[in-house]
Amino acid sequence: REAQLTHHQPCWINTNNTTTCPNMLFRSSSLTRTFRTFSTNPSNKIFQLGKLNHVAIAVPNLQQAAAFYRDTLGASVTDPEDLPEHGVTTIFVNLPNTKFELLHPYGENSPIANFLKKNTNGGIHHVCLEVEDIEQAVQQVKKMNVRVLGDVKIGAHGKPVIFLHPKDCNGVLVELEQV
């Protein structure tokens, strides 16, 4: 039987312009080390990363969270929008330079319900970054050994989106959205 243990050590840039991040794996009684390599060579870049689109916050009470941003902080908030295909109800908090996306579970299979089981007070769920061409971005991140979660689908803004695995993004769930 194998049991995986992630060992948090810093990554380093190699002389060939790649980044190496060690992981520790235990196999029975022997210890083996595996490495995941990410290229940092800017000449490989085929897409341009855009601005921060939004920060998504999972909340246990959507109306209470919206009231906090609207009534306490004076922000403009949108009406709730159900997105059954994503298992969420969203409200956007509009800020001068970006947005917060308040997320609440919709339906029994909501990924936000699982998040809130582990984080009962809510918390930051993901960050969304803009890209000009989602297909090129997906191709590039895969080439750089970054895992994508699922397929490209239409997001809350009616635009194509994809999520990147948090284990490949410094512990952060990253959403890429085509603008």
Side-chain angles (χ1 to χ4, degrees), residues 44-47 136-144:
N44 289 337
K45 190 165 81 170
I46 61 170
F47 74 95
Q136 281 186 342
V138 168
Q139 180 183 28
Q140 182 65 22
V141 297
K142 284 182 175 180
K143 184 176 165 184
M144 307 295 274

Side-chain angles (χ1 to χ4, degrees), residues 29-88:
S29 61
S30 66
L31 177 66
T32 58
R33 188 178 285 249
T34 61
F35 293 93
R36 204 169 156 78
T37 302
F38 301 90
S39 176
T40 57
N41 185 349
S43 66
N44 289 337
K45 190 165 81 170
I46 61 170
F47 74 95
Q48 179 66 40
L49 191 61
K51 67 180 184 172
L52 173 67
N53 184 282
H54 66 266
V55 175
I57 304 169
V59 297
N61 185 318
L62 192 59
Q63 294 306 323
Q64 185 178 26
F68 169 75
Y69 288 102
R70 181 188 58 241
D71 302 338
T72 304
L73 299 181
S76 164
V77 300
T78 65
D79 290 329
E81 182 178 356
D82 294 333
L83 300 171
E85 64 279 7
H86 294 281
V88 298

Side-chain angles (χ1 to χ4, degrees), residues 123-143:
I124 294 176
H125 183 263
H126 68 268
V127 297
C128 178
L129 303 172
E130 295 178 352
V131 296
E132 288 185 17
D133 186 322
I134 195 85
E135 295 300 331
Q136 281 186 342
V138 168
Q139 180 183 28
Q140 182 65 22
V141 297
K142 284 182 175 180
K143 184 176 165 184

Side-chain angles (χ1 to χ4, degrees), residues 7-179:
H7 184 70
H8 299 284
Q9 289 184 355
C11 300
W12 59 87
I13 298 178
N14 302 311
T15 55
N16 65 353
N17 229 7
T18 60
T19 303
T20 300
C21 302
N23 290 319
M24 302 295 281
L25 292 178
F26 285 102
R27 289 197 179 133
S28 303
S29 61
S30 66
L31 177 66
T32 58
R33 188 178 285 249
T34 61
F35 293 93
R36 204 169 156 78
T37 302
F38 301 90
S39 176
T40 57
N41 185 349
S43 66
N44 289 337
K45 190 165 81 170
I46 61 170
F47 74 95
Q48 179 66 40
L49 191 61
K51 67 180 184 172
L52 173 67
N53 184 282
H54 66 266
V55 175
I57 304 169
V59 297
N61 185 318
L62 192 59
Q63 294 306 323
Q64 185 178 26
F68 169 75
Y69 288 102
R70 181 188 58 241
D71 302 338
T72 304
L73 299 181
S76 164
V77 300
T78 65
D79 290 329
E81 182 178 356
D82 294 333
L83 300 171
E85 64 279 7
H86 294 281
V88 298
T89 299
T90 65
I91 290 179
F92 280 93
V93 178
N94 298 305
L95 304 172
N97 59 343
T98 192
K99 297 178 279 292
F100 290 151
E101 179 185 31
L102 304 178
L103 299 172
H104 189 263
Y106 180 92
E108 295 178 14
N109 298 322
S110 172
I112 300 306
N114 292 333
F115 182 90
L116 288 172
K117 282 180 188 172
K118 297 175 191 167
N119 307 279
T120 56
N121 292 325
I124 294 176
H125 183 263
H126 68 268
V127 297
C128 178
L129 303 172
E130 295 178 352
V131 296
E132 288 185 17
D133 186 322
I134 195 85
E135 295 300 331
Q136 281 186 342
V138 168
Q139 180 183 28
Q140 182 65 22
V141 297
K142 284 182 175 180
K143 184 176 165 184
M144 307 295 274
N145 295 321
V146 174
R147 292 169 284 182
V148 298
L149 301 174
D151 297 319
V152 173
K153 49 182 142 178
I154 301 302
H157 296 116
K159 298 176 181 177
V161 299
I162 188 108
F163 286 89
L164 307 181
H165 200 294
K167 288 186 179 178
D168 297 339
C169 301
N170 303 298
V172 176
L173 180 62
V174 175
E175 178 184 23
L176 300 179
E177 178 178 277
Q178 183 170 299
V179 291

